[in-house]
Amino acid sequence: MPQADRTRAMRARLLEATVELLVERGFAGTTTTLVSERAGVSRGAQLHHFPTKNDLVVAAVEHLTERRGAELAEAVAQLPAGGRRTRAVVEVLGDHFSSPVFAAALELWVAARTDEALLAALRPLEQRVGREAHRMTVAALGADESRPGVRELVQATLDLVRGLGLASTISDDSARRRRILREWADVLDKELAP
Amino acid sequence: MPQADRTRAMRARLLEATVELLVERGFAGTTTTLVSERAGVSRGAQLHHFPTKNDLVVAAVEHLTERRGAELAEAVAQLPAGGRRTRAVVEVLGDHFSSPVFAAALELWVAARTDEALLAALRPLEQRVGREAHRMTVAALGADESRPGVRELVQATLDLVRGLGLASTISDDSARRRRILREWADVLDKELAP
């Protein structure tokens, strides 16, 4: 394997090990030593690419968010048009915000509340991801944001799935989530209709 | 002061110091030593009332949730009837879920995701608080849950304010929250109308 490919593969292993540890052990339980052990990467190489724990955790959540964001966009693009499309869109969003990647992002988010350096590192990522999720949801719903109130209902949809994602972290909330999102999709269909 | 009153006051100081520390330093940064120092209570007395950190943090969030829950119920009871009531109800809920008590509860919630003992201690509290919030919201909105879909929209309202509360933990999100909740209230008024 050429050196550039080896480096890329090593970085990917580090980032995936980091997300796994965030999901399994939380932010406090994720140490750089555990990450290098799990990724099978030397401490020296790890520190060369990610000098601090904050560098590592932010890059890891960014890496996974981008990969899953692309998967999400693809899933949404393949949904059928027509009567049940809105239900399918909000269900895909709800599942996405209840996935392990959400749990890893939540760990960072909550840790950043009381850690200024982490917050500074996380904020640009969070804003970019937020804009991207909004843009994608508008497109998926075919929402016309020039109409009053539409922008807020799209935002509400994303805040709702974030709240449902939080509920799902400590129990299996999928049946309740499905009922709620079905009802909300029907409301959206009425509100967003031209 | 009689002994029973002194004990009650001491417990309240411990619980309030614990919530303050959860808000300021997060779950990992909240140690029982810091709590006893801040509350001005001896280690022995503290351990007598709350043998473990989990006992302390769960009791603290329970104590504050009950106090703030009573304040919330009172605030809602004083809202005027009529045209703008739903807006006022969801605004009060949104503010409540963006308060420091929410931040303290969020710390426990996220820590419990990767801590089985804490999860076991937290779950009954979480279920009771969830039922209570639901019951209060139904009453405040005058919602008729025997109609199809109404129960889900009340649940969605609480999941939405939880999602908004999460957004508010790392930035001041109050202007965006107000716009979203105003739209949401107008949708609720249409959907819940008899």
Side-chain angles (χ1 to χ4, degrees):
Chain A
M1 240 195 329
Q3 178 61 35
D5 290 351
R6 280 207 304 277
T7 300
R8 200 173 304 119
M10 187 194 69
R11 284 178 61 101
R13 282 207 309 283
L14 284 169
L15 299 178
E16 274 152 37
T18 304
V19 169
E20 281 173 25
L21 284 164
L22 284 170
V23 171
E24 288 168 27
R25 304 194 182 205
F27 184 80
T30 298
T31 65
T32 54
T33 309
L34 280 174
V35 170
S36 65
E37 280 171 17
R38 182 170 299 202
V41 171
S42 75
R43 291 287 288 161
Q46 176 177 345
L47 289 170
H48 175 72
H49 288 281
F50 303 104
T52 69
K53 175 175 170 179
N54 279 0
D55 294 329
L56 190 57
V57 293
V58 173
V61 168
E62 183 167 23
H63 171 74
L64 264 276
T65 302
E66 275 168 12
R67 220 175 67 185
R68 296 292 156 85
E71 290 169 13
L72 175 65
E74 197 174 328
V76 166
Q78 287 175 5
L79 294 177
R84 287 288 178 265
R85 181 173 169 90
T86 304
R87 284 193 183 187
V89 169
V90 298
E91 195 167 308
V92 166
L93 283 173
D95 290 347
H96 186 70
F97 278 78
S98 304
S99 69
V101 176
F102 176 78
L106 180 65
E107 289 288 339
L108 253 58
W109 188 295
V110 170
R113 203 183 61 75
T114 52
D115 178 336
E116 273 185 46
L118 180 59
L119 181 57
L122 193 61
R123 193 166 267 156
L125 169 62
E126 193 270 319
Q127 290 175 340
R128 199 170 69 245
V129 169
R131 275 196 303 272
E132 184 55 28
H134 186 89
R135 196 199 55 70
M136 203 210 62
T137 307
V138 168
L141 294 172
D144 175 5
E145 289 201 298
S146 69
R147 289 173 45 211
V150 166
R151 180 174 175 74
E152 285 72 19
L153 291 181
V154 173
Q155 291 178 315
T157 302
L158 287 164
D159 285 295
L160 171 62
V161 291
R162 195 186 298 126
L164 290 167
L166 187 52
S168 78
T169 56
I170 63 169
S171 59
D172 176 8
D173 192 45
S174 53
R176 192 184 74 97
R177 180 169 73 244
R178 200 164 306 122
R179 285 195 302 273
I180 291 173
L181 288 178
R182 193 170 301 161
E183 216 44 54
W184 178 242
D186 292 350
V187 170
L188 275 182
D189 274 334
K190 276 185 266 179
E191 294 291 329
L192 302 184
Chain B
M1 238 191 339
Q3 178 61 34
D5 291 350
R6 280 207 304 277
T7 299
R8 201 173 304 119
M10 187 194 69
R11 284 178 62 99
R13 284 207 308 283
L14 284 168
L15 299 178
E16 274 152 36
T18 303
V19 169
E20 282 173 24
L21 284 164
L22 284 170
V23 172
E24 288 168 27
R25 305 193 181 205
F27 183 80
T30 298
T31 64
T32 53
T33 310
L34 280 173
V35 169
S36 65
E37 280 171 17
R38 182 169 299 202
V41 170
S42 74
R43 292 286 288 162
Q46 176 176 345
L47 288 171
H48 175 72
H49 288 281
F50 303 104
T52 69
K53 175 175 169 179
N54 280 359
D55 294 329
L56 191 56
V57 293
V58 173
V61 167
E62 183 167 23
H63 172 73
L64 263 278
T65 301
E66 275 168 12
R67 222 174 66 184
R68 296 293 155 84
E71 289 169 14
L72 175 66
E74 198 174 327
V76 165
Q78 286 175 5
L79 293 176
R84 287 288 178 265
R85 181 173 168 91
T86 305
R87 283 192 183 187
V89 169
V90 298
E91 195 167 310
V92 166
L93 283 172
D95 290 347
H96 186 71
F97 277 79
S98 304
S99 68
V101 176
F102 175 78
L106 180 64
E107 289 288 339
L108 253 58
W109 188 295
V110 170
R113 204 183 60 77
T114 52
D115 179 336
E116 273 184 46
L118 181 58
L119 181 57
L122 193 60
R123 192 164 267 155
L125 169 62
E126 193 270 319
Q127 290 175 340
R128 199 170 70 244
V129 169
R131 274 196 303 270
E132 183 56 28
H134 186 89
R135 195 200 53 71
M136 204 211 63
T137 306
V138 168
L141 294 171
D144 175 5
E145 289 201 299
S146 69
R147 287 174 46 210
V150 166
R151 180 173 175 76
E152 285 73 19
L153 290 179
V154 172
Q155 289 178 316
T157 302
L158 287 164
D159 285 296
L160 171 64
V161 292
R162 195 186 299 125
L164 290 167
L166 186 53
S168 78
T169 56
I170 65 168
S171 59
D172 176 7
D173 192 45
S174 53
R176 192 184 74 97
R177 180 169 74 242
R178 201 163 307 122
R179 284 195 301 275
I180 292 173
L181 288 178
R182 195 169 300 160
E183 277 312 312
W184 186 272
D186 291 352
V187 169
L188 279 183
D189 273 335
K190 275 184 269 181
E191 295 290 329
L192 303 184

